[in-house]
Amino acid sequence: MNPDNALRRRLLLSGAAGLIAATALPGTAHARTAAVEPDIDGTAVWGARPPQAAIRTLQYRPSKIIVHHTVSANTTDFSRAQAHRHAHWVQDLHMDKNGWADTGYHFLVSRGGWITEGRHGSLGTLAGGSAFPLGTHTSGQNGYAIGIANEGAYHDGAVPTDAQWDVLVALCAYTCSRYGIPPAQIYGHKDFGDTLCPGVFHDMLPRLREEVAAARAA
């Protein structure tokens, strides 16, 4: 099956389950969520290393999302296994080269349309909707923002796959819903520093905000 089609099928199935849960459980956190909950492989699923130091959990909601790219290879391996290998690659880079406690980003979106949890605790706090782990992804903004990084390098003409884009929209929409973040508060890394990150995703931010708003309304 084409990976883009497989991805869309996964989203439709998880979306149907989310809508059923929201209908069946009025007054719960699910009922307050306007956007579909996408599939996310947690750190235990992809076999993350434990953090090198304690991860501080901020007991309030983030006010924005910041989009990144990881400047990894623009692979044509769209498998779930590749998404897990990429998550390991990012964690090893951040821990061993940068000396950080854990993956700096909260979530990663693969070119095949798979989402992996980055920093430990990100998935559980997202579900709760009232706290988030302090990340290490954007200087001056880590105490205010969820960092979402896209597999690949997009500063030299490359573009995301359809699957990657669709899942980025779904993840941003769900994150906005859980935390009450307006879609207008989705930014790129370069909005806050001298960097090329997130490449072409920065040019696509108006479209991303529009599609996230539409996903929330749906």
Side-chain angles (χ1 to χ4, degrees), residues 82-95:
Q82 168 55 26
H84 291 186
R85 284 190 291 270
H86 176 252
H88 279 288
W89 178 82
V90 172
Q91 187 185 41
D92 289 345
L93 177 68
H94 287 184
M95 292 175 68

Side-chain angles (χ1 to χ4, degrees), residues 37-184:
E37 179 181 359
D39 293 335
I40 302 174
D41 284 348
T43 51
V45 174
W46 61 266
R49 296 160 58 184
Q52 297 183 129
I55 302 299
R56 179 182 171 194
T57 298
L58 303 175
Q59 299 299 326
Y60 54 85
R61 289 179 164 192
S63 59
K64 59 176 70 76
I65 293 171
I66 300 179
V67 176
H68 302 259
H69 66 164
T70 64
V71 200
S72 57
N74 291 326
T75 181
T76 56
D77 183 346
F78 299 142
S79 68
R80 184 182 189 185
Q82 168 55 26
H84 291 186
R85 284 190 291 270
H86 176 252
H88 279 288
W89 178 82
V90 172
Q91 187 185 41
D92 289 345
L93 177 68
H94 287 184
M95 292 175 68
D96 298 336
K97 183 176 180 180
N98 295 1
W100 298 345
D102 195 6
T103 300
Y105 312 116
H106 295 95
F107 299 100
L108 303 163
V109 179
S110 81
R111 285 175 54 79
W114 299 93
I115 306 170
T116 51
E117 179 184 25
R119 179 147 295 207
H120 283 76
S122 299
L123 185 53
T125 51
L126 175 62
S130 60
F132 68 108
L134 178 64
T136 314
H137 56 88
T138 308
S139 180
Q141 297 297 316
N142 293 311
Y144 311 100
I146 293 293
I148 298 176
N150 295 278
E151 178 187 21
Y154 298 98
H155 53 270
D156 196 22
V159 295
T161 66
D162 288 346
Q164 186 172 38
W165 179 261
D166 287 349
V167 168
L168 176 63
V169 171
L171 177 58
C172 286
Y174 182 67
T175 302
C176 284
S177 290
R178 296 307 304 155
Y179 286 128
I181 299 172

Side-chain angles (χ1 to χ4, degrees), residues 7-23 33-39 170 218:
L7 174 279
R8 292 190 181 94
R9 183 172 182 274
R10 289 206 312 277
L11 281 178
L12 288 172
L13 289 174
S14 63
L19 288 174
I20 291 170
T23 302
T33 302
V36 168
E37 179 181 359
D39 293 335

